[in-house]
Amino acid sequence: MKFCQKVMLVLSSLAVCLFLAELTLPRFFGFDLAETGWTWLHLTTPSADPHLRYELTPSFSGMMRGVSYAISSDGLRGEERSVGPSNSIVVLGDSITFGLGLPLEAIYPSLLQQALDPTGRNVGIYNLGVNGYDTLQEVALLKQRGLRHNPQLVIVGFCLNDIGIAGGGGQRLKEEISRLPRWLLRLNTPWFVIWRIHKFYARKEDAFLNSPEVFLSTYRDRIAPLNENESELRDMMGTVSQEYPSVLYGDPARVGRMRFAFQELGHLAQENSFAVLVVIIPILSQGQSYPHDMSHRIVAYEAERAGLSFLDLKDDLLEFGLERLKLDDRDELHPNKDGHRLIARTLAAHLKSLLYSSSRKGNQPLPYYPVRNMSYTLAP
């Protein structure tokens, strides 16, 4: 067989293999890899604000793992608002609040909107959740985009891994991937390889960003000191679980960074006269007993210290069964539809009974920061 014929045979074989891979890979994974990869690549864009690092791409829409994502012109997940509501609630958070893996109507900010005011004319909820964000980034986003909505209340959807850097990995790799030819990124087979490379480098980069030396160097000016006489806090930090992410709550630098973020949020609340509610979302891992109780207590301690109210969802979700609330069997962070429904129901009941109660006087029940008058009737 001549050399040219051999080359043609090899190329033909590769073409057939590529064609078969393009047909079979989406069926094997249950979603279109190219479509998902393209959306993942363009859903966020580098931010001019160094504290944000990246943000959602305004006016972008796409499908990822079979779920539709639409970003408004304001850079928020949700529909465009032609007329602003008379009262607004801003919800900060990470991929849980953003609603990764779920349609818009099934996530807790949307369900909370339906519970409080389905019309959206009197109460408008703005979802500022962004995948991978921590509390410092969320406060920075509040300054940049949230305050323009003149919120009466800011809700912080706090996941326990927010104390570390959970979304930094993979950002550099995304920039490199975006330079590949457009036609190549429209095929499933290259994305099969890209996903595996990304998974490896994302973990490696996150580990680098979370290393004590790099963490201290990066956030040195955004770590609030812990006082030596805070014996209650020190005792809690000394007894946290060694499981991730609770193990991070024993580190003064991590807790100090959370303290700095909460203090920043408290100052913004005072300056702009809104209330803050920190909603603590548990890790969806139960086993024989829930191992992260002490971490919940530390978050609540720091929230109260900064003058913020908190709502711990642990008991409500534990009663339902944490394992039953997982979006995926291997995912201990993201709740499924039942989890979001339970979060919204608990949160709505808390707000209805406390925030909008006709018997509420002064700053109660959200301490220190007054909630502007919301003179309307909530939906039952």
Side-chain angles (χ1 to χ4, degrees), residues 198-210:
H198 168 260
K199 189 174 182 180
F200 172 78
Y201 278 100
R203 288 180 178 176
K204 187 176 180 179
E205 190 173 346
D206 273 347
F208 173 76
L209 294 172
N210 278 289

Side-chain angles (χ1 to χ4, degrees), residues 124-188:
I125 295 180
Y126 296 88
N127 182 356
L128 270 69
V130 180
N131 299 332
Y133 267 22
D134 55 51
T135 313
L136 270 180
Q137 290 171 291
E138 291 158 15
V139 174
L141 186 62
L142 175 64
K143 292 178 183 178
Q144 185 189 99
R145 292 185 178 176
L147 293 181
R148 71 180 64 168
H149 300 296
N150 194 30
Q152 283 74 47
L153 172 66
V154 170
I155 296 172
V156 181
F158 190 94
C159 177
L160 293 185
N161 74 344
D162 288 349
I163 199 169
I165 311 301
Q171 291 303 314
R172 296 178 191 173
L173 184 61
K174 285 180 70 171
E175 295 176 11
E176 296 297 325
I177 294 171
S178 65
R179 297 188 179 98
L180 294 174
R182 188 184 180 95
W183 65 266
L184 189 65
L185 297 176
R186 290 298 188 182
L187 300 175
N188 290 299

Side-chain angles (χ1 to χ4, degrees), residues 19-295:
F19 176 75
L20 292 175
E22 288 298 305
L23 291 178
T24 58
L25 281 173
R27 294 186 179 185
F28 178 80
F29 284 96
F31 58 89
D32 191 306
L33 276 74
E35 183 179 56
T36 290
W38 186 260
T39 300
W40 166 80
L41 191 62
H42 297 285
L43 183 63
T44 60
T45 186
S47 176
D49 186 338
H51 296 307
L52 291 179
R53 299 200 309 273
Y54 62 92
E55 53 192 89
L56 296 176
T57 304
S59 303
F60 176 79
S61 62
M63 298 285 291
M64 193 158 58
R65 294 179 180 265
V67 176
S68 176
Y69 297 92
I71 309 303
S72 70
S73 59
D74 199 27
L76 313 178
R77 187 181 183 189
E79 301 174 352
E80 300 285 350
R81 295 182 187 269
S82 56
V83 179
S86 54
N87 303 283
S88 63
I89 297 174
V90 164
V91 187
L92 306 176
D94 56 11
S95 53
I96 297 175
T97 299
F98 174 80
L100 186 65
L102 291 173
L104 179 65
E105 66 274 9
I107 64 178
Y108 81 84
S110 301
L111 296 171
L112 187 61
Q113 177 73 73
Q114 289 297 311
L116 298 182
D117 181 10
T119 67
R121 289 191 293 267
N122 293 320
V123 183
I125 295 180
Y126 296 88
N127 182 356
L128 270 69
V130 180
N131 299 332
Y133 267 22
D134 55 51
T135 313
L136 270 180
Q137 290 171 291
E138 291 158 15
V139 174
L141 186 62
L142 175 64
K143 292 178 183 178
Q144 185 189 99
R145 292 185 178 176
L147 293 181
R148 71 180 64 168
H149 300 296
N150 194 30
Q152 283 74 47
L153 172 66
V154 170
I155 296 172
V156 181
F158 190 94
C159 177
L160 293 185
N161 74 344
D162 288 349
I163 199 169
I165 311 301
Q171 291 303 314
R172 296 178 191 173
L173 184 61
K174 285 180 70 171
E175 295 176 11
E176 296 297 325
I177 294 171
S178 65
R179 297 188 179 98
L180 294 174
R182 188 184 180 95
W183 65 266
L184 189 65
L185 297 176
R186 290 298 188 182
L187 300 175
N188 290 299
T189 310
W191 278 107
F192 178 79
V193 178
I194 288 171
W195 286 133
R196 275 144 184 79
I197 296 174
H198 168 260
K199 189 174 182 180
F200 172 78
Y201 278 100
R203 288 180 178 176
K204 187 176 180 179
E205 190 173 346
D206 273 347
F208 173 76
L209 294 172
N210 278 289
S211 62
E213 300 81 8
V214 175
F215 187 90
L216 280 172
S217 174
T218 304
Y219 298 102
R220 188 175 302 279
D221 60 341
R222 284 171 284 168
I223 296 175
L226 308 184
N227 301 323
E228 291 297 332
N229 60 354
E230 293 183 87
S231 57
E232 180 183 356
L233 174 62
R234 298 282 181 177
D235 290 343
M236 289 189 291
M237 291 173 60
T239 56
V240 293
S241 168
Q242 295 304 295
E243 291 189 25
Y244 180 84
S246 282
V247 64
L248 299 179
Y249 286 81
D251 180 6
R254 313 280 177 163
V255 176
R257 180 173 174 272
M258 177 174 62
R259 174 173 291 188
F260 182 91
F262 282 170
Q263 288 176 346
E264 285 282 291
L265 190 54
H267 295 325
L268 284 175
Q270 285 182 312
E271 293 169 0
N272 297 276
S273 300
F274 58 77
V276 178
L277 180 64
V278 178
V279 179
I280 309 172
I281 303 171
I283 300 296
L284 303 178
S285 176
Q286 196 164 344
Q288 296 296 322
S289 62
Y290 184 71
H292 305 290
D293 286 290
M294 198 57 66
S295 300

Side-chain angles (χ1 to χ4, degrees), residues 304-323:
E304 285 192 315
R305 187 183 183 281
L308 316 176
S309 291
F310 72 91
L311 173 64
D312 193 342
L313 300 177
K314 173 173 61 68
D315 291 340
D316 293 274
L317 272 63
L318 272 170
E319 184 178 352
F320 189 89
L322 295 179
E323 298 291 339

